[in-house]
Amino acid sequence: MMAILNAAITQMASGNDWAKNCDKAEGLVREAAAKGAQLVLLQELFDGDYFCIEQHVHFLKRAEEIDRHPTVKRFASLAKELGVVLPVSVFERAGNAHYNTTVIVDADGRELGIYRKSHIPDGRGYQEKFYFSPGDTGFKVWDTAAGRIGLGICWDQWFPECARAMALMGAEILLYPTAIGSEPPNPDYDSSTHWQNVMRGHAAANIMPLLASNRVGRETAPDGRSDIFYGRSFIADHQGEKLAEMDRTEEGVRLASFDLDDIRDLRRSWGVFRDRRPELYGALLTLDGKTRTERS
């Protein structure tokens, strides 16, 4: 554990070439580590193109079991070499199921466990329900050499329940690897500021820093449909203020430092966890907001 944490986000374009994608991601991790980063966040499914734009069954062949996944093996070795905590986002096969999974790799290269994406979107340009089963791990936190981290994946970041659950479990920093960009049903709509503001709210409401890493560039499906990923990866402090941000096209890294002890003391003293009333939040356990008593 450490009090002062130097954390980094990365941002890059990914294509249909595993080796080139991994080489590029490794270069960014090395750059971040050389600048003093102890925790480096890569984007969602960085080792390939975003195959979920449309439904094509042959893409399911990309999934690999975690214990033999080449991306996990390569980046676990890199984490050990550089001494950095490195969440690794991959397409996982588990028997006949497929998951959007992140493996948490500690600074000594140990795989601490996995998180499987809980909220799976389904819409034009983001047809993930065809490829991924809803995650069955539940929300989790991990004690790492960089502090106690909580991680959600992309669509998870729009749900305050996810962030609050991880905060209640003791997370000290929230991480969101992401793949988001244009909205095909409405090409003129730009969700990027809304996307940032929702996560900045998680940071402020839970009084902890937050990192979000997104991809950039146009990616095209076999049928010709495409998404343009808008980047804008950022780091927010425990009050939700942006400390670092990337633009819509650049590839690179950004760093920020946090005193986790000071933030922990503030979080404990502020009262937002002391004054919670879980017994009043029954509506959160329903889809329609009606408790069992109201339905009877």
Side-chain angles (χ1 to χ4, degrees):
M1 289 290 188
M2 60 184 65
I4 303 299
L5 170 64
N6 298 317
I9 53 171
T10 68
Q11 183 170 285
M12 59 180 254
S14 294
N16 186 20
D17 188 314
W18 179 86
K20 288 183 179 179
N21 295 330
C22 289
D23 287 348
K24 186 186 295 185
E26 178 177 331
L28 294 177
V29 174
R30 289 187 180 279
E31 178 183 347
K35 293 179 177 179
Q38 299 144 318
L39 165 66
V40 183
L41 181 64
L42 292 160
Q43 65 209 35
E44 180 185 18
L45 300 173
F46 65 89
D47 66 352
D49 55 338
Y50 183 73
F51 52 86
C52 307
I53 295 173
E54 286 296 335
Q55 300 179 14
H56 299 284
V57 68
H58 63 272
F59 286 138
L60 292 170
K61 297 178 181 178
R62 294 188 179 186
E64 297 278 0
E65 296 177 353
I66 291 297
D67 61 0
R68 64 180 65 182
H69 204 295
T71 306
V72 175
K73 291 183 178 297
R74 175 168 177 172
F75 283 85
S77 177
L78 181 65
K80 181 178 181 180
E81 176 193 342
L82 300 177
V84 297
V85 176
L86 192 60
V88 183
S89 173
V90 295
F91 188 15
E92 177 195 2
R93 178 171 64 85
N96 288 318
H98 301 81
Y99 297 100
N100 187 330
T101 299
T102 296
V103 181
I104 307 301
V105 181
D106 210 351
D108 59 3
R110 289 182 302 126
E111 297 171 26
L112 301 182
I114 66 172
Y115 168 70
R116 291 169 170 163
K117 187 173 182 177
S118 299
H119 303 93
I120 310 298
D122 184 51
R124 285 173 55 194
Y126 303 92
Q127 298 191 27
E128 295 194 12
K129 280 187 167 65
F130 180 79
Y131 298 99
F132 309 129
S133 295
D136 57 1
T137 59
F139 306 125
K140 303 174 74 172
V141 298
W142 294 268
D143 286 311
T144 75
R148 198 166 210 206
I149 65 174
L151 181 141
I153 302 172
C154 200
W155 192 224
D156 290 332
Q157 67 208 352
W158 293 87
F159 296 84
E161 298 89 345
C162 173
R164 178 51 57 90
M166 292 187 289
L168 289 171
M169 297 168 71
E172 297 177 301
I173 186 169
L174 300 174
L175 312 177
Y176 291 102
T178 299
I180 189 171
S182 55
E183 304 292 341
N186 186 355
D188 295 327
Y189 178 62
D190 178 8
S191 64
S192 64
T193 297
H194 187 186
W195 170 74
Q196 286 191 350
N197 287 345
V198 168
M199 286 183 282
R200 292 173 65 187
H202 300 335
N206 293 292
I207 313 178
M208 62 184 60
L210 182 147
L211 278 61
S213 290
N214 193 19
R215 62 175 65 204
V216 294
R218 180 186 291 273
E219 299 186 29
T220 303
D223 60 7
R225 298 186 183 185
S226 63
D227 286 348
I228 301 173
F229 296 93
Y230 53 55
R232 297 196 67 187
S233 304
F234 72 100
I235 300 175
D237 70 9
H238 58 286
Q239 299 181 87
E241 293 291 338
K242 284 190 288 186
L243 301 181
E245 179 179 3
M246 305 188 75
D247 69 22
R248 293 174 178 268
T249 60
E250 68 180 306
E251 298 180 296
V253 303
R254 293 286 190 278
L255 279 76
S257 296
F258 303 101
D259 187 323
L260 296 183
D261 285 344
D262 281 353
I263 295 172
R264 186 184 307 114
D265 288 344
L266 178 64
R267 187 166 55 247
R268 288 172 174 170
S269 68
W270 197 247
V272 293
F273 293 96
R274 178 198 64 206
D275 296 338
R276 293 184 68 254
R277 297 289 306 280
E279 71 276 13
L280 303 181
Y281 305 154
L284 294 178
L285 301 178
T286 73
L287 288 176
D288 62 4
K290 294 182 180 180
T291 64
R292 185 175 301 173
T293 300
E294 291 173 317
R295 290 194 185 93
S296 61

